[in-house]
Amino acid sequence: MTKSSTGNYFEDLTTGLEIAHATPRTVTEGDQAVYLALTASRYPLFCDAEFARSLGFQRELVNDLLVFHIVFGNSVPDVSLNAIANLGYADLRYGAPVYPGDTITSHTTVLGRRESSRGDTGVTWVRTTGVNQHGDEVMSFIRWVLMNKRDPDTKLGVDDAPGTPASVEASRLHVPPELTLDRFDPVVTGGRWFWEDYDPGERIHHIEGVAVEEAEHQMAARLYQNTARAHFNAHALKDSRFGKRVVYGGHVISIARELSYNGLENVLRILAFNGGAHANPTFAGDTLFAWTDVLERIDLGRPDAGALRLRLVATKNSDPNTEDQPFQVTDENGRERYHPNVVLDLDYTVLIPKRPV
Amino acid sequence: MTKSSTGNYFEDLTTGLEIAHATPRTVTEGDQAVYLALTASRYPLFCDAEFARSLGFQRELVNDLLVFHIVFGNSVPDVSLNAIANLGYADLRYGAPVYPGDTITSHTTVLGRRESSRGDTGVTWVRTTGVNQHGDEVMSFIRWVLMNKRDPDTKLGVDDAPGTPASVEASRLHVPPELTLDRFDPVVTGGRWFWEDYDPGERIHHIEGVAVEEAEHQMAARLYQNTARAHFNAHALKDSRFGKRVVYGGHVISIARELSYNGLENVLRILAFNGGAHANPTFAGDTLFAWTDVLERIDLGRPDAGALRLRLVATKNSDPNTEDQPFQVTDENGRERYHPNVVLDLDYTVLIPKRPV
Amino acid sequence: MTKSSTGNYFEDLTTGLEIAHATPRTVTEGDQAVYLALTASRYPLFCDAEFARSLGFQRELVNDLLVFHIVFGNSVPDVSLNAIANLGYADLRYGAPVYPGDTITSHTTVLGRRESSRGDTGVTWVRTTGVNQHGDEVMSFIRWVLMNKRDPDTKLGVDDAPGTPASVEASRLHVPPELTLDRFDPVVTGGRWFWEDYDPGERIHHIEGVAVEEAEHQMAARLYQNTARAHFNAHALKDSRFGKRVVYGGHVISIARELSYNGLENVLRILAFNGGAHANPTFAGDTLFAWTDVLERIDLGRPDAGALRLRLVATKNSDPNTEDQPFQVTDENGRERYHPNVVLDLDYTVLIPKRPV
């Protein structure tokens, strides 16, 4: 019997299963620097210790998405090594801030599953949670994954797919209690707009475009210890559907989110993902662009800050600010689908200061 | 009105304008490591804490050029997003040493400008200064930039171009007062030559050549939060003059400077840039080489160290140590121009120990 | 006389010569993060401070191979700038653990040499040792290198090649005295197998494959300040035997070792290299795979942990888990040689817990 693991299949991830993931991770200044070199993040909360302290934090925070990628990556060997696709996210919430030096341990619960009608694949819903060395939850999210079966010829007939919330309710959004905005300085963020200034229905084009290279997305996924073969095994992928490596979808989220600084400079922190889809694959050589649609202004019942629900869309090889770029197209069966240039559709909620009085 | 910024144009940067740049940066050990992975820097002051302490410093310093790139990159969104070219540098001086953990804030003053005779573009002179969290200046420099105009058809007729010094005077060179060379050990630097050994007129070939990849120059520019589109937006650049991404000129400076360790091992710190030009563009796939011409030996009036004024030249795809590589060529109009293989011409001043008695 | 160095040749490295290498290195959290981004290392001792503390260490250790690469890279400018090939390793032993913040200084002794029968090249044996800032040895190893001669036409007739041990004796393996396994938790490592479970003769395929890019191996070698031209000087290498850059062999060791986590999760630390060969060159674009043959179970005379002697083999562009991949082939002269797809053959010894009673 071989001692190495080929990962879990649909049959292995039974509803209710609890998995404690191996290799907890001490997140460091080094991880922040590599993340920055891969994304050009400019939100100051994650790279300016003085700004972070002025808001009541101990020092600069670990980038929200770096935390997500590490928790996600930690779950890959147990959950999605045999995934065909990551279909969606729901109910992602951030908890305690993560500081450089903190150690994050992750675990996953299988929420339910639904075999395909043909019985050769299935969708598995899981909740993955990251906890710091003090036992505080730093983030938790649901994702569902299209999985290969170990035995595609034997139908199990399982279907206990869980419901997932369409969005994270305002009452469940976590604002760190240490946050104070008395000394918030928009010169530091470069932001001219506050919570009140963003109107539902408004679209913000984020202007810049950024090309993705093989070395970059591989370094990103490896930094997160995400070993999914679709990102690395060029030899095997020659014979795959796309014939090449696919960029880790989370890297696309990061590129889009960091592009979104231009127009959302005052955003402090991600509070939640309501839902999200990797609409189409991204490959090395693609240039990514992003826009944001403002969906909702959420009052958190405090005078200094509110939340914005945003839809972040990324496209490839088409600049939606200067080119006509449809979001959806109607396919030959009359179904609405994402335009092939659309690579990300993320519905998420952020924390942003209210305009000082 | 869109909330994102397309950057300032020639018209926007009026003489006397003061800009406080967003996103101050806490520079970390992580940034140093990424810089090292991109440049192979071997000067021990920046990677050997024990050596740095033996010279009176608290610990290893942040690499001089990493400080430059961060201050420069910080100014890009406000100054040079619509630049056609970065034409030159002058009067760059280093101040207080930067340690890992320090936070650098940058600001820029517009010194003057000159519209082109056709009125469609213009040159803008700015001074950008970086300050640490204690309020100490860490560096300051003048650069001038060929800018696009927002409205190329309306001539403004402005011309108040400032003078710039041909070099930084010796009296204005800053040697950190904590520096002591009593315990300087050339075994640590690997250096055999001291201040007295370098003769004006001498040329030092730095031997090694190093290829530049797209992922590397993109990671470099992103590490510095320099989002100039010429380095990233492959989709738009397909239709540009070069048809592809251009390597950030500062990355070329870093590659050349770190190559220059071989022959200048005892150099401690950059004190100043007197002037500099990115003679020709560098593209991914190019192999870079470098030589140094010793221009001047400057006595700083202290017994333990002096300054050297050096000219650092980088070439691409031609090894000046083994191939006949002209520095200049005469073009069809009889004008002297940089040879197309020359990519950098930097006049700078460094600090180096005198030979111990 | 030029001040830059073209490196030592066979003639320069005379038996008995002692070289103190320049540029000691303070290894940081940043170096660990870049290493992780280049290798996806998942052994928790190097990325989980809490796990490391549970075993009696101060915090997470610097990755064993990062220490090796830094010590090795430090020796390159003096030892192997004019190397044709790195032929082998012997008697590599690890000593004191290295923590982020430690500074490593390296020195090399020439053990002996043997000129080729034609007299145009020669093999040089050296021992290189790394020492931390407290004077403790962190590692030491023998390597032998095929060197160019400065004057290939003048035969020296030297042959005092030293003997090298076929393996590191058990009594010379160093287990850090602070190690305690009372609180060892296999949930953290993800390991299901202990010392007793690995049987000599057993083969473990490590499943994943990972492609190597030019930017990645250049960043790896630069992180280690390894400036050997075979990895960087694309311009000169156009006319070389392979016509292109060769991946630093140590990067191949790291890729293979970090792939080996899958099946060797409980391995704590490398104790020794008994021998090793870079069987064939690796180039950018290759996909690497690895397997491990268990050679020997070594009892260290303690109840909590033992050693395993392992043979780690890496292949390129052929997945030995699913494809028929011979290890050796018989060439036209009837000699057994490594199959052209085999790129690494490393005989090494690791520390692993015994099964808790």
Side-chain angles (χ1 to χ4, degrees), chain A residues 62-341:
Chain A
V62 174
N63 191 295
D64 295 328
L65 287 178
L66 177 51
V67 175
F68 169 68
H69 297 320
I70 285 174
V71 174
F72 182 101
N74 211 223
S75 77
V76 164
D78 294 315
V79 173
S80 50
L81 222 49
N82 296 299
I84 301 162
N86 209 36
L87 298 178
Y89 304 102
D91 201 39
L92 181 153
R93 282 170 301 136
Y94 280 91
V98 177
Y99 293 105
D102 284 355
T103 300
I104 302 174
T105 303
S106 305
H107 61 272
T108 289
T109 304
V110 180
L111 301 179
R113 50 194 189 146
R114 176 184 294 147
E115 207 173 21
S116 70
S117 50
R118 278 204 270 169
D120 54 339
T121 61
V123 178
T124 305
W125 280 256
V126 297
R127 173 174 286 287
T128 299
T129 301
V131 173
N132 70 15
Q133 71 275 20
H134 309 299
D136 303 323
E137 190 173 305
V138 298
M139 79 175 315
S140 180
F141 63 97
I142 296 171
R143 66 169 168 140
W144 52 105
V145 183
L146 180 61
M147 303 277 291
N148 279 309
K149 286 180 67 180
R150 189 181 298 280
D151 175 8
D153 296 325
T154 302
K155 200 163 173 176
L156 302 178
V158 294
D159 182 359
D160 57 358
T164 56
S167 68
V168 178
E169 280 176 44
S171 62
R172 298 175 64 242
L173 299 170
H174 175 77
V175 179
E178 57 270 54
L179 176 72
T180 166
L181 288 160
D182 299 350
R183 295 165 58 203
F184 175 82
D185 179 359
V187 169
V188 172
T189 61
R192 291 165 291 170
W193 290 279
F194 293 84
W195 181 77
E196 298 85 344
D197 301 317
Y198 291 88
D199 290 317
E202 184 178 354
R203 175 164 298 184
I204 304 163
H205 285 290
H206 300 302
I207 310 294
E208 287 102 346
V210 59
V212 179
E213 299 294 321
E214 297 281 16
E216 293 170 358
H217 77 82
Q218 291 200 150
M219 288 184 69
R222 280 190 297 237
L223 182 70
Y224 317 137
Q225 297 167 308
N226 175 340
T227 60
R229 61 185 63 110
H231 315 316
F232 296 108
N233 191 335
H235 175 68
L237 293 164
K238 283 197 318 275
D239 304 319
S240 70
R241 177 174 161 213
F242 300 118
K244 53 187 170 181
R245 285 165 275 175
V246 177
V247 173
Y248 163 50
H251 188 53
V252 175
I253 298 177
S254 278
I255 294 284
R257 148 80 167 164
E258 305 307 349
L259 286 176
S260 82
Y261 167 81
N262 188 348
L264 290 166
E265 294 87 348
N266 276 338
V267 164
L268 293 173
R269 213 196 169 200
I270 299 177
L271 297 173
F273 287 8
N274 302 297
H278 299 293
N280 282 289
T282 299
F283 304 106
D286 288 344
T287 302
L288 298 177
F289 299 87
W291 80 67
T292 293
D293 288 328
V294 179
L295 298 181
E296 188 184 353
R297 207 160 51 212
I298 301 166
D299 200 328
L300 297 172
R302 53 189 290 167
D304 56 352
L308 294 175
R309 186 172 170 186
L310 305 172
R311 183 177 208 167
L312 177 62
V313 174
T315 63
K316 63 179 178 185
N317 307 323
S318 170
D319 181 350
N321 192 37
T322 59
E323 300 174 56
D324 181 40
Q325 176 54 60
F327 181 60
Q328 289 188 306
V329 289
T330 308
D331 71 10
E332 59 270 28
N333 303 316
R335 287 194 359 200
E336 291 292 304
R337 290 182 166 282
Y338 289 109
H339 186 280
N341 287 349

Side-chain angles (χ1 to χ4, degrees), chain C residues 18-172:
Chain C
E18 305 262 357
I19 307 171
H21 302 302
T23 310
R25 174 75 168 272
T26 303
V27 191
T28 70
E29 292 182 355
D31 298 317
Q32 294 263 81
V34 178
Y35 182 82
L36 219 156
L38 293 168
T39 65
S41 174
R42 288 185 283 158
Y43 289 104
L45 188 59
F46 310 113
C47 68
D48 177 355
E50 303 297 327
F51 177 68
R53 281 192 272 266
S54 79
L55 301 187
F57 297 106
Q58 298 168 30
R59 57 177 294 190
E60 75 273 25
L61 272 59
V62 174
N63 191 296
D64 295 327
L65 287 178
L66 177 51
V67 174
F68 169 69
H69 297 320
I70 285 174
V71 174
F72 182 102
N74 211 223
S75 77
V76 164
D78 294 315
V79 173
S80 51
L81 222 49
N82 297 299
I84 301 162
N86 208 36
L87 298 178
Y89 303 101
D91 201 39
L92 181 152
R93 282 171 301 136
Y94 281 91
V98 177
Y99 292 105
D102 284 354
T103 299
I104 303 173
T105 303
S106 304
H107 61 272
T108 290
T109 304
V110 180
L111 301 179
R113 51 194 188 145
R114 176 185 295 148
E115 207 173 21
S116 68
S117 50
R118 278 204 268 172
D120 54 340
T121 61
V123 178
T124 306
W125 280 257
V126 297
R127 173 174 287 287
T128 299
T129 302
V131 173
N132 71 15
Q133 72 276 17
H134 309 299
D136 303 322
E137 190 173 305
V138 298
M139 78 175 315
S140 180
F141 62 97
I142 295 172
R143 65 170 168 140
W144 51 106
V145 183
L146 181 61
M147 303 276 293
N148 279 309
K149 285 180 67 180
R150 188 182 297 282
D151 174 8
D153 296 326
T154 302
K155 200 164 171 174
L156 302 178
V158 294
D159 182 359
D160 56 0
T164 55
S167 68
V168 179
E169 280 176 43
S171 62
R172 296 175 66 242

Side-chain angles (χ1 to χ4, degrees), chain B residues 19-49:
Chain B
I19 306 171
H21 302 302
T23 311
R25 175 76 167 272
T26 303
V27 191
T28 71
E29 293 181 356
D31 298 318
Q32 295 264 81
V34 177
Y35 181 81
L36 219 156
L38 292 167
T39 65
S41 174
R42 287 186 283 160
Y43 290 103
L45 188 59
F46 311 114
C47 68
D48 177 355

